[in-house]
Amino acid sequence: MQIHSFALHQYEEVVDLWQRAGLQLSRSDTVEGLQQKLERDPELFLVAKSESGKIVGAVMGSYDGRRGWVNHLAVDPDYQGQDLGSRLMQELETRLSTLGCEKINLLIEPSNSRVQAFYGRLGFTADELIFMEKWIEPAKSAKKGV
């Protein structure tokens, strides 16, 4: 397996992987949304390729200057149980540490609660929080990069 940074031309293959792995995608998981993510911290969006060159794992991380975040960790169902998720997470953690990150957060959708034990083995602990969100429309100047 080779782990390297995601490139936008891999978008369709990564979205297909996310869907096969059962992840719930949001309206920000568009080509445009991921392009914006790459403009901020491209080194934190990783893909794992098999020997044949097929993308079989991916993790999208981010860093806001205080906390690191894990988004969309997925491993192809045919490759699960081979430590690939742990390897992707270790590489992401190394890259976050290099940036000065001291704490990594992640959220688990209730429909994906089976992964809680996996993250527990990696040292993550549950925290009692109330999560709230609000979708807003970006200003027209933000869409154009102004």
Coordinates of all heavy atoms in Angstrom, one line a residue, residues 69-119:
W69 N -9.0 17.8 12.9 CA -10.3 17.1 12.7 C -10.1 15.9 11.7 O -9.3 16.0 10.8 CB -11.3 18.0 12.2 CG -11.8 18.9 13.2 CD1 -11.4 20.2 13.6 CD2 -12.9 18.7 14.1 NE1 -12.1 20.7 14.6 CE2 -13.1 19.8 15.0 CE3 -13.8 17.6 14.3 CZ2 -14.0 19.9 16.0 CZ3 -14.8 17.7 15.3 CH2 -14.9 18.8 16.1
V70 N -10.8 14.8 12.0 CA -10.8 13.7 11.1 C -12.2 13.7 10.5 O -13.2 13.7 11.2 CB -10.6 12.4 11.9 CG1 -10.7 11.2 10.9 CG2 -9.3 12.4 12.6
N71 N -12.2 13.7 9.2 CA -13.5 13.6 8.4 C -13.3 12.4 7.4 O -12.3 12.3 6.7 CB -13.7 14.9 7.6 CG -13.8 16.1 8.5 OD1 -12.8 16.8 8.6 ND2 -14.8 16.3 9.3
H72 N -14.4 11.7 7.2 CA -14.5 10.7 6.2 C -13.3 9.7 6.1 O -12.7 9.5 5.0 CB -14.6 11.4 4.8 CG -15.9 12.2 4.6 ND1 -17.0 12.0 5.3 CD2 -16.2 13.1 3.7 CE1 -18.0 12.8 4.9 NE2 -17.5 13.5 3.9
L73 N -13.0 9.0 7.1 CA -12.1 7.9 7.0 C -12.9 6.7 6.4 O -14.0 6.3 6.9 CB -11.6 7.5 8.4 CG -10.8 6.2 8.5 CD1 -9.5 6.3 7.6 CD2 -10.5 5.8 9.9
A74 N -12.3 6.1 5.4 CA -13.0 5.0 4.7 C -12.0 4.0 4.2 O -10.9 4.5 3.7 CB -13.9 5.5 3.6
V75 N -12.3 2.8 4.3 CA -11.5 1.7 3.7 C -12.4 0.8 2.9 O -13.5 0.5 3.4 CB -10.8 0.9 4.8 CG1 -10.1 -0.3 4.2 CG2 -9.8 1.8 5.6
D76 N -12.0 0.5 1.7 CA -12.8 -0.4 0.8 C -13.1 -1.6 1.6 O -12.3 -2.2 2.3 CB -11.9 -0.7 -0.4 CG -12.6 -1.6 -1.4 OD1 -13.1 -2.6 -1.0 OD2 -12.6 -1.2 -2.6
P77 N -14.4 -2.0 1.6 CA -14.8 -3.2 2.3 C -14.0 -4.5 2.0 O -13.8 -5.3 2.9 CB -16.3 -3.4 1.8 CG -16.8 -2.1 1.5 CD -15.5 -1.4 0.9
D78 N -13.4 -4.6 0.8 CA -12.6 -5.7 0.5 C -11.2 -5.7 1.2 O -10.5 -6.7 1.1 CB -12.4 -5.9 -1.0 CG -13.7 -6.2 -1.7 OD1 -14.6 -6.8 -1.1 OD2 -13.8 -5.9 -2.9
Y79 N -10.8 -4.5 1.7 CA -9.5 -4.3 2.3 C -9.6 -4.1 3.8 O -8.6 -3.8 4.5 CB -8.8 -3.2 1.6 CG -8.3 -3.5 0.3 CD1 -9.2 -3.5 -0.8 CD2 -7.0 -3.9 0.0 CE1 -8.8 -3.8 -2.1 CE2 -6.5 -4.2 -1.2 CZ -7.4 -4.1 -2.3 OH -7.0 -4.5 -3.6
Q80 N -10.8 -4.1 4.4 CA -11.0 -3.9 5.8 C -10.4 -5.1 6.6 O -10.3 -6.2 6.1 CB -12.4 -3.7 6.2 CG -12.9 -2.4 5.6 CD -14.4 -2.1 5.9 OE1 -15.1 -2.9 6.5 NE2 -14.9 -1.0 5.3
G81 N -9.9 -4.8 7.8 CA -9.3 -5.8 8.6 C -7.8 -6.0 8.3 O -7.2 -7.0 8.8
Q82 N -7.2 -5.2 7.5 CA -5.8 -5.3 7.1 C -5.0 -4.2 7.7 O -3.9 -3.9 7.2 CB -5.7 -5.4 5.6 CG -6.4 -6.5 5.0 CD -6.3 -6.6 3.5 OE1 -5.3 -6.1 2.9 NE2 -7.3 -7.1 2.8
D83 N -5.5 -3.4 8.7 CA -4.8 -2.4 9.4 C -4.6 -1.1 8.5 O -3.9 -0.2 8.9 CB -3.4 -2.9 9.8 CG -2.9 -2.2 11.1 OD1 -3.8 -1.9 12.0 OD2 -1.7 -2.1 11.3
L84 N -5.3 -1.0 7.4 CA -5.2 0.1 6.5 C -5.8 1.4 7.2 O -5.1 2.5 7.1 CB -5.9 -0.1 5.2 CG -5.7 0.9 4.1 CD1 -4.3 1.3 3.9 CD2 -6.4 0.5 2.8
G85 N -6.9 1.3 7.9 CA -7.5 2.5 8.5 C -6.5 3.0 9.6 O -6.3 4.2 9.7
S86 N -5.9 2.1 10.3 CA -4.9 2.5 11.4 C -3.7 3.2 10.7 O -3.2 4.2 11.3 CB -4.4 1.3 12.2 OG -5.5 0.7 12.9
R87 N -3.3 2.7 9.6 CA -2.1 3.3 8.9 C -2.4 4.7 8.4 O -1.6 5.6 8.5 CB -1.6 2.4 7.8 CG -1.0 1.1 8.4 CD -0.6 0.1 7.3 NE 0.2 0.7 6.2 CZ 0.3 0.2 5.0 NH1 -0.3 -0.9 4.7 NH2 1.1 0.8 4.1
L88 N -3.6 4.8 7.8 CA -4.1 6.2 7.4 C -4.2 7.1 8.6 O -3.7 8.3 8.5 CB -5.4 6.1 6.7 CG -5.4 5.6 5.2 CD1 -6.8 5.1 4.8 CD2 -4.8 6.7 4.3
M89 N -4.7 6.7 9.7 CA -4.9 7.5 10.8 C -3.5 7.9 11.4 O -3.3 9.0 11.8 CB -5.7 6.9 11.9 CG -7.2 6.8 11.5 SD -7.9 8.5 11.4 CE -7.9 9.0 13.2
Q90 N -2.6 7.0 11.4 CA -1.2 7.3 11.9 C -0.5 8.3 11.1 O 0.1 9.2 11.6 CB -0.4 6.0 12.0 CG 1.0 6.2 12.6 CD 1.0 6.9 14.0 OE1 0.4 6.3 14.9 NE2 1.7 8.0 14.1
E91 N -0.7 8.2 9.8 CA 0.0 9.2 8.9 C -0.7 10.5 9.1 O 0.0 11.6 9.1 CB -0.2 8.7 7.4 CG 0.5 9.7 6.4 CD 2.0 9.9 6.6 OE1 2.7 9.0 7.1 OE2 2.5 10.9 6.1
L92 N -2.0 10.6 9.2 CA -2.7 11.8 9.4 C -2.2 12.4 10.8 O -1.9 13.6 10.8 CB -4.2 11.6 9.4 CG -5.0 12.9 9.7 CD1 -4.8 14.0 8.7 CD2 -6.5 12.5 9.8
E93 N -2.1 11.6 11.8 CA -1.7 12.1 13.1 C -0.3 12.7 13.0 O 0.0 13.7 13.6 CB -1.8 11.0 14.1 CG -1.5 11.4 15.5 CD -1.7 10.3 16.5 OE1 -2.7 9.5 16.4 OE2 -0.9 10.3 17.5
T94 N 0.6 12.0 12.3 CA 2.0 12.5 12.1 C 2.0 13.8 11.4 O 2.7 14.8 11.9 CB 2.8 11.5 11.3 OG1 2.9 10.2 12.1 CG2 4.2 12.0 11.0
R95 N 1.2 14.0 10.4 CA 1.1 15.2 9.7 C 0.5 16.4 10.5 O 1.0 17.5 10.5 CB 0.4 15.1 8.3 CG 1.1 14.2 7.3 CD 0.4 14.0 6.0 NE 1.1 13.1 5.2 CZ 1.0 13.2 3.8 NH1 0.3 14.1 3.2 NH2 1.7 12.4 3.1
L96 N -0.5 16.0 11.3 CA -1.1 17.0 12.2 C -0.1 17.5 13.3 O 0.1 18.7 13.6 CB -2.3 16.5 12.8 CG -3.6 16.5 11.9 CD1 -4.7 15.6 12.5 CD2 -4.1 17.9 11.7
S97 N 0.7 16.5 13.8 CA 1.7 16.8 14.8 C 2.7 17.7 14.3 O 3.2 18.7 14.9 CB 2.3 15.5 15.3 OG 3.3 15.8 16.2
T98 N 3.1 17.5 13.0 CA 4.1 18.3 12.4 C 3.7 19.8 12.3 O 4.5 20.7 12.3 CB 4.5 17.8 11.0 OG1 5.0 16.5 11.1 CG2 5.5 18.6 10.2
L99 N 2.4 20.0 12.2 CA 1.8 21.3 12.1 C 1.6 22.0 13.4 O 1.2 23.2 13.5 CB 0.4 21.3 11.4 CG 0.4 20.9 9.9 CD1 -1.0 20.7 9.4 CD2 1.2 21.9 9.1
G100 N 1.9 21.3 14.5 CA 1.8 21.8 15.9 C 0.5 21.4 16.5 O 0.2 21.9 17.6
C101 N -0.3 20.6 15.9 CA -1.6 20.2 16.5 C -1.4 19.3 17.7 O -0.5 18.4 17.7 CB -2.4 19.4 15.4 SG -4.0 18.8 16.0
E102 N -2.1 19.6 18.8 CA -2.0 18.8 20.0 C -3.3 18.0 20.4 O -3.2 17.1 21.2 CB -1.8 19.8 21.2 CG -0.5 20.5 21.1 CD -0.2 21.5 22.3 OE1 -1.2 21.8 23.0 OE2 0.9 21.9 22.4
K103 N -4.4 18.2 19.7 CA -5.6 17.5 19.9 C -6.3 17.3 18.6 O -6.4 18.1 17.8 CB -6.5 18.3 20.9 CG -7.8 17.6 21.3 CD -8.6 18.4 22.2 CE -9.9 17.6 22.6 NZ -10.8 18.5 23.3
I104 N -6.8 16.0 18.5 CA -7.6 15.7 17.3 C -9.0 15.3 17.7 O -9.2 14.5 18.6 CB -6.9 14.4 16.6 CG1 -5.4 14.7 16.2 CG2 -7.7 14.1 15.3 CD1 -4.7 13.5 15.7
N105 N -9.9 15.8 17.0 CA -11.4 15.6 17.2 C -11.9 14.8 16.0 O -11.5 15.0 14.9 CB -12.1 16.9 17.4 CG -11.7 17.7 18.6 OD1 -11.3 17.1 19.6 ND2 -11.8 19.0 18.5
L106 N -13.0 14.1 16.3 CA -13.8 13.5 15.2 C -15.2 13.3 15.7 O -15.5 13.3 16.9 CB -13.2 12.2 14.8 CG -13.0 11.0 15.8 CD1 -14.3 10.2 15.9 CD2 -11.9 10.1 15.4
L107 N -16.1 13.2 14.8 CA -17.5 12.9 15.1 C -17.9 11.6 14.4 O -17.4 11.4 13.3 CB -18.4 14.1 14.5 CG -18.1 15.5 15.1 CD1 -18.8 16.5 14.3 CD2 -18.4 15.6 16.5
I108 N -18.8 10.9 15.0 CA -19.3 9.6 14.5 C -20.8 9.7 14.3 O -21.5 10.0 15.3 CB -18.9 8.4 15.4 CG1 -17.4 8.3 15.5 CG2 -19.5 7.1 14.8 CD1 -17.0 7.3 16.6
E109 N -21.2 9.5 13.1 CA -22.7 9.5 12.8 C -23.3 8.3 13.6 O -22.7 7.2 13.6 CB -23.0 9.3 11.3 CG -22.5 10.5 10.5 CD -23.4 11.6 10.4 OE1 -24.6 11.5 10.9 OE2 -23.0 12.7 9.9
P110 N -24.5 8.5 14.2 CA -25.1 7.3 14.9 C -25.3 6.1 14.0 O -25.1 5.0 14.5 CB -26.5 7.9 15.3 CG -26.3 9.4 15.4 CD -25.3 9.7 14.3
S111 N -25.5 6.3 12.7 CA -25.6 5.1 11.8 C -24.3 4.4 11.6 O -24.3 3.3 11.0 CB -26.2 5.6 10.5 OG -25.3 6.5 9.9
N112 N -23.2 5.0 12.1 CA -21.9 4.4 11.9 C -21.2 4.1 13.2 O -20.0 4.0 13.3 CB -21.0 5.4 11.0 CG -19.8 4.7 10.5 OD1 -19.7 3.5 10.3 ND2 -18.8 5.5 10.2
S113 N -22.0 3.9 14.2 CA -21.5 3.8 15.6 C -20.6 2.6 15.8 O -19.7 2.5 16.7 CB -22.6 3.7 16.6 OG -23.4 2.6 16.4
R114 N -20.6 1.6 14.9 CA -19.8 0.4 14.9 C -18.3 0.8 14.9 O -17.4 0.0 15.3 CB -20.1 -0.6 13.8 CG -19.9 0.0 12.4 CD -20.3 -1.0 11.3 NE -20.4 -0.4 10.1 CZ -19.4 0.0 9.3 NH1 -18.2 -0.1 9.8 NH2 -19.6 0.6 8.1
V115 N -17.9 2.0 14.4 CA -16.5 2.3 14.3 C -16.0 2.9 15.6 O -14.8 3.1 15.7 CB -16.2 3.3 13.2 CG1 -16.6 2.7 11.8 CG2 -16.9 4.7 13.4
Q116 N -16.8 3.1 16.6 CA -16.3 3.6 17.9 C -15.2 2.8 18.5 O -14.3 3.3 19.0 CB -17.5 3.8 18.8 CG -17.1 4.6 20.1 CD -18.3 4.9 20.9 OE1 -19.5 4.7 20.6 NE2 -18.1 5.5 22.1
A117 N -15.4 1.5 18.5 CA -14.3 0.6 19.0 C -13.0 0.7 18.3 O -11.9 0.7 18.9 CB -14.8 -0.9 19.0
F118 N -13.1 0.9 17.0 CA -11.8 1.1 16.2 C -11.1 2.4 16.7 O -9.9 2.3 17.0 CB -12.2 1.3 14.7 CG -11.1 1.8 13.8 CD1 -10.0 1.0 13.5 CD2 -11.1 3.1 13.4 CE1 -9.0 1.5 12.7 CE2 -10.1 3.7 12.7 CZ -9.0 2.9 12.3
Y119 N -11.8 3.5 16.8 CA -11.2 4.7 17.2 C -10.7 4.6 18.7 O -9.7 5.2 19.1 CB -12.1 5.9 17.1 CG -12.3 6.3 15.6 CD1 -13.5 6.2 15.0 CD2 -11.2 6.8 14.9 CE1 -13.7 6.6 13.7 CE2 -11.4 7.2 13.6 CZ -12.6 7.1 12.9 OH -12.8 7.4 11.6

